[in-house]
Amino acid sequence: MPALVLLGAQWGDEGKGKATDLLGGSVDYVVRYQGGNNAGHTVVVGDQKYALHLLPSGILSPGCTPVIGNGVVVDPSVLLSELSGLNERGVDTSKLLISGNAHIITPYNVTVDKVTERFLGKRKIGTTGRGIGPTYADKINRVGIRVQDLYDESILTQKVEAALDVKNQILTKLYNRRAIAADQVIEELLGYAEKLRPYVADTVLILNQALEQDKVVLFEGGQGTLLDIDHGTYPFVTSSNPTAGGACTGTGVGPTKISRVIGILKAYTTRVGAGPFPTELFDEDGEALRRIGGERGVTTGRDRRCGWFDAVIARYATRVNGLTDFFLTKLDVLTGWEQIPVCVAYEIDGKRVEELPYSQTDFHHAKPVYEMLPGWSEDISKAKSFSDLPKNAQNYVKALEEMSGAPISAIGVGPGRDETIEINSFL
Ligand code: GDP
Ligand code: IMO
Ligand code: MG
């Protein structure tokens, strides 16, 4: 059984953590391939709730090896506190593997993220302030610090000094901030080296050997398709590739090994941070979705912007990721609406448009064209099979499937592991 990818089909927070955890018990490896602790993945196991930021959701499945791939950016202090938090709750984290090629989010990257956003003022992206953009910028600029650099003090010193030479000019002269002392950063980073050493490994080799031995590898995306640096709503995006291709570059596993790409799709839409969002609601329906869906950020505690389901976006996610399946989440949240609007196309400057426009200007002008689907009032949270759902809920799912361009193979009807209807097996 080759590799599977599980990724967000919208703007993040679709329920990737729950879906990954559900499969975690049946796979050998769960691998994060991009992003960092900007992610907040909630997993509910029985009466226990876990909020994971950097660790793959497979960490909660005892038989599974969690891996942080080379494409991830790692804040060592966040990682270590996440590990000790889980250890205190009795979770064994000893199997974790971290790529030596993953880049480190340094304290100055976090500072630069925050001051840049402040400087942008009204034009800010609304980042999570975790240093994600500046760390990926350093990686591309070839001045980044990698996990393996922690084990060569001389190289680490040279790299931190080189990076700070430029950054301190910008911090002091442009942003009017204090310079950051290189020796303090180096000391802090060296302090993490021995604590991380047991986990650092050649993850590219390990994952490819595992696949040769027919082990099952699940790639867990952070963020979502519309937050992708290449395929998302640029510039209101994150700085990595959550789309399916990112799973290859972010782990060193070739595309021929991937047999299934599962898009996690919320039954409505949410977004955190700035940027266009055609189906966004500013009325009591939006407020109700936020309240019933518990739409508050796991990482930053910000309220999520809420809106109706957008089939144009779902179709786009199917296309750019080559999705084989959808996992539809949070269908239970829509219980109680008499009619549920679904965006089937956009109207842009008076013209009907069926597909996501590539132009930012057009997308900013896109107005949703809604079709009304009949709702249901029965509690669906105990449904175990598709036929347990009320007819109108079944029709809502079928309509979304038809519009989105890939089969819906599972449906979430609650946050718990067992609150899931499986239609087609993923494994
Ligand atoms: P992620 O970032 O994609 O992992 O998603 P988040 O964890 O940020 O947000 C999804 C939220 O929805 C979490 O609080 C989950 O526990 C919850 N959730 C996931 N699936 C379902 C579902 O089917 N129904 C309900 N009611 N909640 C769900
Ligand atoms: P999960 O994995 C939702 C958003 C931020 C901001 C933009 C850029 O939980 O789905 P960044 O800090 O990445 O430079 O911020 O991306 N963002 C997310 N939104 N879910 C996430 O992760 C996100 N990670 C980043 O709000 O708009
Ligand atoms: Mg999240």
Side-chain angles (χ1 to χ4, degrees), residues 73-80 102-110 135 138 143-164 180-197 200:
V73 287
V74 178
D75 185 326
S77 68
V78 171
L79 177 63
L80 291 168
H103 279 246
I104 288 190
I105 302 177
T106 60
Y108 52 81
N109 290 139
V110 178
T135 305
D138 279 2
V143 293
I145 312 293
R146 294 188 292 174
V147 169
Q148 59 174 292
D149 297 331
L150 300 181
Y151 305 100
D152 187 325
E153 189 171 343
S154 147
I155 284 187
L156 180 70
T157 304
Q158 286 174 43
K159 289 187 175 176
V160 170
E161 283 175 353
L164 275 176
I180 295 172
D183 52 352
Q184 276 175 21
V185 173
I186 294 161
E187 193 187 323
E188 180 180 334
L189 293 179
L190 287 174
Y192 300 127
E194 288 317 307
K195 292 182 188 138
L196 293 181
R197 196 188 281 277
V200 180

Side-chain angles (χ1 to χ4, degrees), residues 32-38 54 71-74 132 136 222-223 238 240:
R32 277 283 306 271
Y33 55 87
Q34 47 66 240
N37 57 305
N38 47 349
L54 201 43
V72 175
V73 287
V74 178
I132 305 296
Y136 278 113
Q223 293 75 53
T238 191
S240 67

Side-chain angles (χ1 to χ4, degrees), residues 307-321:
W308 299 121
F309 184 82
D310 185 336
V312 181
I313 279 173
R315 275 199 293 280
Y316 178 73
T318 304
R319 191 175 313 125
V320 298
N321 294 299

Side-chain angles (χ1 to χ4, degrees), residues 13-18 40-42 298 304 330 332 412-415:
D13 303 324
E14 299 90 349
K16 298 176 291 294
K18 173 193 156 162
H41 296 179
T42 317
V298 187
R304 293 173 180 156
K330 303 192 101 162
D332 53 301
V413 290

Side-chain angles (χ1 to χ4, degrees), residues 83-112:
L83 286 170
S84 64
L86 287 178
N87 294 153
E88 277 162 25
R89 295 175 71 178
V91 177
D92 175 16
T93 57
S94 60
K95 283 184 162 178
L96 176 70
L97 301 175
I98 306 170
S99 166
N101 286 347
H103 279 246
I104 288 190
I105 302 177
T106 60
Y108 52 81
N109 290 139
V110 178
T111 304
V112 170

Side-chain angles (χ1 to χ4, degrees), residues 100-396:
N101 286 347
H103 279 246
I104 288 190
I105 302 177
T106 60
Y108 52 81
N109 290 139
V110 178
T111 304
V112 170
D113 192 0
K114 289 181 179 155
V115 295
T116 316
E117 281 282 278
R118 213 166 298 146
F119 192 75
L120 283 169
K122 276 209 317 245
R123 289 167 295 146
K124 70 179 179 186
I125 305 292
T127 73
T128 59
R130 301 300 192 262
I132 305 296
T135 305
Y136 278 113
D138 279 2
K139 173 177 173 174
I140 301 298
N141 276 333
R142 294 161 293 187
V143 293
I145 312 293
R146 294 188 292 174
V147 169
Q148 59 174 292
D149 297 331
L150 300 181
Y151 305 100
D152 187 325
E153 189 171 343
S154 147
I155 284 187
L156 180 70
T157 304
Q158 286 174 43
K159 289 187 175 176
V160 170
E161 283 175 353
L164 275 176
D165 268 354
V166 180
K167 286 199 173 59
N168 276 335
Q169 299 285 333
I170 297 170
L171 282 173
T172 53
K173 295 189 179 145
L174 182 63
Y175 295 122
N176 210 15
R177 305 277 297 204
R178 261 188 309 203
I180 295 172
D183 52 352
Q184 276 175 21
V185 173
I186 294 161
E187 193 187 323
E188 180 180 334
L189 293 179
L190 287 174
Y192 300 127
E194 288 317 307
K195 292 182 188 138
L196 293 181
R197 196 188 281 277
Y199 308 113
V200 180
D202 184 349
T203 54
V204 175
L205 184 65
I206 292 169
L207 291 172
N208 279 288
Q209 284 176 338
L211 285 164
E212 277 161 27
Q213 291 160 15
D214 267 345
K215 299 269 196 275
V216 186
V217 177
L218 176 66
F219 298 113
E220 177 188 16
Q223 293 75 53
T225 300
L226 277 301
L227 286 173
D228 186 281
I229 186 83
D230 286 280
H231 301 291
T233 46
Y234 191 90
F236 302 102
V237 292
T238 191
S239 299
S240 67
N241 288 116
T243 49
C248 295
T249 52
T251 63
V253 170
T256 50
K257 300 279 168 33
I258 295 169
S259 63
R260 214 132 175 205
V261 185
I262 305 158
I264 313 302
L265 188 66
K266 212 179 271 194
Y268 50 97
T269 315
T270 62
R271 170 161 211 176
V272 196
F277 178 1
T279 63
E280 182 169 16
L281 293 167
F282 300 95
D283 58 7
E284 60 268 28
D285 281 331
E287 198 42 57
L289 286 174
R290 189 172 304 118
R291 180 171 35 82
I292 303 167
E295 297 297 353
R296 181 176 281 262
V298 187
T299 299
T300 56
R302 289 179 290 181
D303 274 352
R304 293 173 180 156
R305 300 158 65 192
C306 294
W308 299 121
F309 184 82
D310 185 336
V312 181
I313 279 173
R315 275 199 293 280
Y316 178 73
T318 304
R319 191 175 313 125
V320 298
N321 294 299
L323 295 183
T324 55
D325 308 77
F326 279 114
F327 188 137
L328 186 71
T329 61
K330 303 192 101 162
L331 186 64
D332 53 301
V333 174
L334 294 179
T335 300
W337 266 275
E338 225 166 90
Q339 291 212 302
I340 309 169
V342 168
C343 168
V344 294
Y346 298 143
E347 193 195 294
I348 302 174
D349 301 332
K351 278 205 203 92
R352 186 183 165 108
V353 173
E354 304 283 336
E355 304 300 345
L356 198 86
Y358 74 87
S359 132
Q360 186 187 349
T361 314
D362 284 353
F363 195 58
H364 276 283
H365 293 172
K367 292 195 189 75
V369 175
Y370 285 120
E371 211 168 85
M372 302 303 274
L373 299 180
W376 59 93
S377 55
E378 301 89 333
D379 176 14
I380 62 168
S381 62
K382 302 284 176 301
K384 291 281 167 256
S385 69
F386 189 69
S387 58
D388 292 343
L389 292 174
K391 228 21 303 104
N392 285 351
Q394 290 187 10
N395 290 339
Y396 185 81

